[in-house]
Amino acid sequence: MGRWRDGTGTLSVLDGAGTAVPLEIAASYRARTRGLLGRDGIEGALLLTPASSVHTFRMRFAIDVAHLDRHLRVIAVRTMRPGRLGAIRPRARHLLEAEAGAMEAWGLRPGAQVVIAAGIAPGQDLRT
């Protein structure tokens, strides 16, 4: 795992729907602070790292939030409407954000294991 940098990648859920989900990585303070603010939606997911809580003040749409521990195992998944303050999860080290309903379609639920490949776009051939 190690430390991530701002950029893109791919998210997969072990024992989930088996699809590779486009991922944006927000590892710097500036990128984490901006998050999904000012957007009308997101294709895929946003990883905030490190992070243990989130808010939806000034957000334009409802989001799913998954709290991940240091081993990328899902601790909790919640749907948050705009204008809410999420609970702090002391064991959480990373957060995933996506449009409301997306995580259920991916098979992301408490106890699920997540795999993140930084810098790899969905559909990219890894053999080259």
Side-chain angles (χ1 to χ4, degrees):
M1 280 172 275
R3 289 183 53 117
W4 286 298
R5 294 189 176 138
D6 293 346
T8 60
T10 301
L11 168 76
S12 300
V13 181
L14 296 181
D15 297 329
T19 59
V21 177
L23 180 71
E24 294 178 37
I25 300 170
S28 68
Y29 175 78
R30 184 175 187 169
R32 288 191 317 270
T33 301
R34 179 156 191 265
L36 295 175
L37 294 176
R39 299 188 196 191
D40 292 323
I42 181 171
E43 172 121 9
L46 174 68
L47 173 72
L48 303 171
T49 181
S52 61
S53 68
V54 67
H55 69 83
T56 58
F57 300 122
R58 300 186 346 243
M59 295 274 303
R60 297 178 181 169
F61 57 99
I63 61 172
D64 284 343
V65 177
H67 297 261
L68 308 177
D69 68 11
R70 69 180 70 242
H71 303 291
L72 302 179
R73 187 165 300 278
V74 178
I75 298 170
V77 179
R78 298 286 182 261
T79 299
M80 295 177 64
R81 295 184 318 224
R84 304 288 186 230
L85 179 63
I88 295 174
R89 303 278 177 172
R91 289 186 15 234
R93 296 296 178 262
H94 319 282
L95 290 172
L96 281 173
E97 296 180 344
E99 288 191 25
M103 292 185 183
E104 183 178 356
W106 302 333
L108 197 76
R109 61 189 180 287
Q113 182 69 47
V114 173
V115 176
I116 295 172
I120 299 172
Q124 180 178 349
D125 189 351
L126 301 177
R127 295 171 289 178
T128 57

